[in-house]
Amino acid sequence: MDPRWMTPEHKAFREALRTHIARKIAPDALKWEDARRVPREAWLSLGKSGFLCPWVGAEYGGSGADFGYSAILREELVRSGSTGLSEGAAVHSDISVPYLDRFGTGEQRQRWLPGCVSGELIVALGMSEPDAGSDLAAIRTTAMRDGDHYVVNGQKIFITNGMSCDLIVLAVRTTSQSKADKRHGGISLLVVEAGTAGFIKHRQLDKMGLHGQDTAELFFEDCRVPASNLLGDEGAGFKFMMLNLQRERLIVALGAQAYSEWMLEKTVTYTKGRKAFGKSIASFQYNSFKLAEMATEAAVGRAFCDRLIEDFIDGTRDLTTEVSMAKWWLSEKANQIAYQCVQLHGGYGFMREFEICRDYCDVRAMPIYAGSNEIMKQIIARRMGLEE
């Protein structure tokens, strides 16, 4: 049964996206994984077909669609086999670009959003540093005002789309920590354009999984950025990040759920067809019980996700606690399901030519990024009144 938020328009969007994936993405997904990069043509094709940033207003080239379209985009790209697009497009469309739309001026939105929708501009988000991951208040990258410019110095790491990006929304310290009113005071958001002198795309990182997604280490050395590229008020960056992190964590949770469903679907098909001792390995009681357990967990996760999508579209209440719960629980479940699915594939599950092997490596990052699962539990405990 379809969830309450699903409309005929949502269904049509899903079918169109599936057709696009089958024709334009799936045939080349493994090639892109091996090349460690998605070609620009794939981004442009997604944009031309209306699949990037569908929520952006029509005045900037988007469709003004609700969050349900973002959820569908996230789920279907996970199933495409291309982590470069499933993760890269999620960071672009629903994690980075919302900062430009929500906190940008009219001039900034007109300058950047049309390219974000068309795929001509790929956007990254620069928060994490070598000594500041989940603890965003600890960032050290500085942006000191010098006339009509900010001079940026510092380092960012683990940046999705870092090598491919045309723009990066950069978290910087515009006031020294010693002079800020609070530990998280003095943090601002600055948009830096690729090609700016001093913006150095240092290297693409070699990861356990998510090979098709470029993840980079970036340096900023006396990088002069126009003051007109500041998003919102100076010093308001930490508040802006806290506001947008709920959408980011929901997107991660939806990806984890999609992985769980997709891995289970593939494993059921494989175990029904694989024979041992004269019968399918799915028919052995131990294996059928494992598959039944995973199906139950996936169904519970789907119900949770659909409720959160509906509530997010409604937008009338604070979802911080529920989104934190979804992010940690669903990402942990995805890893547990990945383990069991590899085991049920036997030796073939250890072969990278089988998607389940790649899935196993790809989902491992989910409990780490967008705030580690330990941080998610800390947020939940704090909102329960358990921390003094």
Side-chain angles (χ1 to χ4, degrees):
M1 187 173 67
D2 292 328
R4 288 184 297 182
W5 60 266
M6 182 77 70
T7 66
E9 290 75 22
H10 287 116
K11 293 180 184 179
F13 180 82
R14 189 188 293 277
E15 288 306 311
L17 179 56
R18 284 182 174 176
T19 299
H20 181 91
I21 288 170
R23 292 176 178 174
K24 303 287 188 179
I25 297 174
D28 294 315
L30 184 55
K31 180 175 69 176
W32 298 341
E33 293 290 296
D34 290 338
R36 303 297 202 264
R37 191 77 63 89
V38 173
R40 179 64 65 132
E41 291 74 19
W43 286 89
L44 292 170
S45 180
L46 269 177
K48 183 178 180 180
S49 300
F51 298 126
L52 289 179
C53 309
W55 52 268
V56 166
E59 65 271 32
Y60 303 115
S63 303
D66 64 44
F67 183 75
Y69 292 83
S70 294
I72 292 168
L73 180 66
R74 178 70 168 133
E75 292 168 4
E76 295 301 323
L77 284 178
V78 163
R79 297 171 67 93
S80 74
S82 170
T83 59
L85 285 176
S86 66
E87 304 309 303
V91 168
H92 170 84
S93 286
D94 281 285
I95 296 175
S96 302
V97 177
Y99 283 95
L100 303 178
D101 180 73
R102 189 172 187 180
F103 307 117
T105 65
E107 185 278 329
Q108 288 172 332
R109 290 195 291 269
Q110 191 62 58
R111 186 174 9 146
W112 292 319
L113 289 181
C116 298
V117 173
S118 69
E120 294 172 274
L121 296 178
I122 298 174
V123 187
L125 181 62
M127 291 186 182
S128 295
E129 298 181 5
D131 296 315
S134 295
D135 183 10
L136 293 175
I139 66 168
R140 298 181 181 179
T141 298
T142 60
M144 297 293 103
R145 187 67 181 260
D146 181 23
D148 293 333
H149 290 79
Y150 286 96
V151 180
V152 181
N153 283 282
Q155 178 184 3
K156 297 291 179 179
I157 199 163
F158 311 135
I159 307 304
T160 299
N161 297 337
M163 300 301 291
S164 303
C165 71
D166 303 288
L167 302 174
I168 183 167
V169 178
L170 198 66
V172 295
R173 187 167 289 284
T174 46
T175 304
S176 69
Q177 202 159 352
S178 61
K179 294 181 180 179
D181 293 336
K182 299 178 181 178
R183 183 169 177 266
H184 55 261
I187 294 175
S188 304
L189 297 181
L190 198 61
V191 180
V192 184
E193 297 167 287
T196 303
F199 176 11
I200 302 165
K201 298 179 178 182
H202 177 57
R203 65 184 176 114
Q204 183 163 325
L205 301 172
D206 189 13
K207 308 186 297 293
M208 173 193 292
L210 301 174
H211 289 159
Q213 170 218 77
D214 85 77
T215 306
E217 181 179 26
L218 309 174
F219 288 99
F220 300 86
E221 298 178 356
D222 292 330
C223 179
R224 296 183 65 84
V225 180
S228 58
N229 284 19
L230 180 72
L231 286 183
D233 296 329
E234 187 175 290
F238 190 84
K239 178 180 72 175
F240 293 164
M241 289 188 286
M242 293 304 101
L243 289 171
N244 265 30
L245 273 172
Q246 302 322 309
R247 184 184 185 118
E248 177 177 351
R249 288 164 181 165
L250 181 52
I251 284 291
V252 173
L254 295 177
Q257 176 65 22
Y259 264 111
S260 292
E261 292 170 345
W262 182 222
M263 291 186 293
L264 177 59
E265 183 180 323
K266 288 182 285 192
T267 303
V268 167
T269 299
Y270 177 81
T271 55
K272 283 182 175 180
R274 178 73 170 171
K275 304 290 184 182
F277 306 102
K279 60 180 183 178
S280 71
I281 62 173
S283 66
F284 287 91
Q285 187 181 70
Y286 180 86
N287 294 343
S288 66
F289 279 13
K290 280 295 179 185
L291 290 166
E293 289 169 6
M294 289 188 284
T296 303
E297 291 166 344
V300 172
R302 172 49 57 190
F304 194 10
C305 282
D306 282 337
R307 197 195 83 188
L308 285 175
I309 292 168
E310 184 176 342
D311 288 346
F312 198 88
I313 292 170
D314 181 60
T316 58
R317 67 185 188 89
D318 181 11
L319 297 176
T320 300
T321 300
E322 289 94 332
V323 166
S324 300
M325 289 175 173
K327 193 272 178 185
W328 88 256
W329 193 80
L330 292 168
S331 65
E332 291 287 350
K333 283 300 171 189
N335 275 270
Q336 293 166 13
I337 288 172
Y339 179 91
Q340 297 294 345
C341 288
V342 167
Q343 193 70 14
L344 287 166
H345 276 74
Y348 291 106
F350 198 64
M351 300 297 110
R352 193 169 174 270
E353 64 190 86
F354 275 68
E355 282 188 345
I356 196 65
C357 176
R358 304 195 298 274
D359 295 337
Y360 179 88
C361 295
D362 294 341
V363 299
R364 186 59 192 89
M366 288 183 161
I368 299 171
Y369 57 52
S372 69
N373 283 0
E374 291 74 19
I375 296 296
M376 297 303 99
K377 294 173 187 178
Q378 187 177 47
I379 291 170
I380 297 163
R382 184 180 300 129
R383 293 176 71 87
M384 291 172 66
L386 303 178
E387 291 193 0
E388 297 180 0

